[in-house]
């Protein structure tokens, strides 16, 4: 609890999941479950190619960690940070189509889609926000039609725990 804010979910630095017993002890209901990526040239190349995959599918399932009584929030997908080479090598339309199709896939297959980014990505590459805004507008339209639920990680945990 910080300044009367009651945090219920946790994102591990560098996705390095550890000390789940402490996470539960401090009152968290869940954590973002995301694989740790090795920082090498092969991984960077795979990530770059993956940004071009506009037909990406969602393979993870909703999970509950029985041992620690914590919700494992699906790690989801990082929103392309349009900084330096990422901004030049990946056209905005590719990022837009990738996310439009991920949203469509989530709706059609009743999947959870976790879109995440670092706030400084917006500050250091403002064109990131331009595409993100278009995706949010599309997602809001789907929500208004009753096809999509937009929730926080804490709300996701509440849904799983009920």
């Amino acid at each position: 609890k910080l300044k009367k804010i009651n945090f219920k979910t946790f994102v591990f630095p560098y996705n390095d999941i550890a000390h789940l017993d402490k996470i539960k002890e401090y009152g968290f209901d869940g954590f973002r479950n995301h694989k740790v990526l090795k920082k090498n040239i092969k991984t960077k190349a795979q990530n770059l190619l993956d940004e071009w995959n506009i037909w990406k599918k969602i393979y993870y399932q909703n999970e509950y960690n029985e041992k620690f009584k914590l919700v494992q929030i699906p790690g989801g997908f990082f929103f392309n940070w349009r900084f330096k080479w990422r901004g030049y090598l990946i056209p905005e339309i590719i990022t837009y189509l990738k996310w439009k199709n991920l949203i469509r896939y989530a709706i059609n297959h009743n999947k959870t889609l976790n879109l995440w980014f670092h706030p400084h990505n917006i500050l250091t590459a403002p064109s990131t926000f331009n595409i993100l805004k278009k995706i949010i507008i599309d997602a809001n339209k789907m929500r208004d039609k009753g096809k999509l639920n937009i929730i926080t990680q804490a709300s996701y945990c509440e849904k799983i725990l009920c």
Side-chain angles (χ1 to χ4, degrees):
K1 209 165 189 177
L2 180 69
K3 294 187 179 189
K4 299 183 183 179
I5 298 172
N6 193 11
F7 295 101
K8 301 306 283 175
T9 64
F10 192 84
V11 177
F12 288 92
Y14 304 102
N15 301 316
D16 192 8
I17 298 169
H19 306 292
L20 292 176
D21 55 331
K22 296 293 181 193
I23 297 299
K24 185 63 180 175
E25 182 181 318
Y26 287 113
F28 291 94
D29 290 333
F31 64 95
R32 188 181 76 193
N33 188 21
H34 202 279
K35 63 183 175 186
V36 176
L37 296 175
K38 295 177 181 159
K39 305 250 181 186
N40 58 39
I41 193 74
K42 180 181 175 188
T43 303
K44 287 182 181 186
Q46 286 172 331
N47 288 343
L48 176 61
L49 289 173
D50 196 47
E51 287 297 333
W52 282 84
N53 183 2
I54 65 169
W55 302 110
K56 189 96 175 136
K57 292 182 172 53
I58 303 167
Y59 292 108
Y60 49 77
Q61 299 294 320
N62 304 338
E63 297 178 31
Y64 181 71
N65 187 302
E66 194 64 46
K67 180 179 178 184
F68 294 105
K69 309 290 187 223
L70 290 166
V71 175
Q72 295 178 191
I73 302 161
F77 301 92
F78 179 71
F79 194 80
N80 182 29
W81 177 33
R82 302 193 53 74
F83 188 69
K84 295 185 180 179
W85 60 268
R86 285 178 172 269
Y88 304 119
L89 294 178
I90 304 155
E92 288 185 15
I93 189 68
I94 296 297
T95 300
Y96 175 75
L97 290 172
K98 175 183 176 179
W99 283 95
K100 188 171 178 73
N101 286 322
L102 278 167
I103 291 169
R104 185 180 307 128
Y105 188 89
I107 291 168
N108 291 341
H109 296 89
N110 195 29
K111 295 283 189 177
T112 298
L113 173 60
N114 185 359
L115 180 157
W116 63 276
F117 61 94
H118 300 118
H120 73 270
N121 296 159
I122 303 298
L123 297 172
T124 56
S127 66
T128 303
F129 182 71
N130 297 335
I131 303 168
L132 180 60
K133 188 166 118 179
K134 290 176 185 175
I135 296 301
I136 290 170
I137 288 168
D138 286 353
N140 281 332
K141 287 177 185 174
M142 293 296 113
R143 181 193 58 197
D144 292 347
K145 291 178 181 178
K147 295 182 176 186
L148 182 68
N149 292 320
I150 300 174
I151 61 175
T152 64
Q153 290 188 153
S155 297
Y156 177 85
C157 290
E158 286 174 19
K159 182 180 163 189
I160 299 296
L161 293 171
C162 289

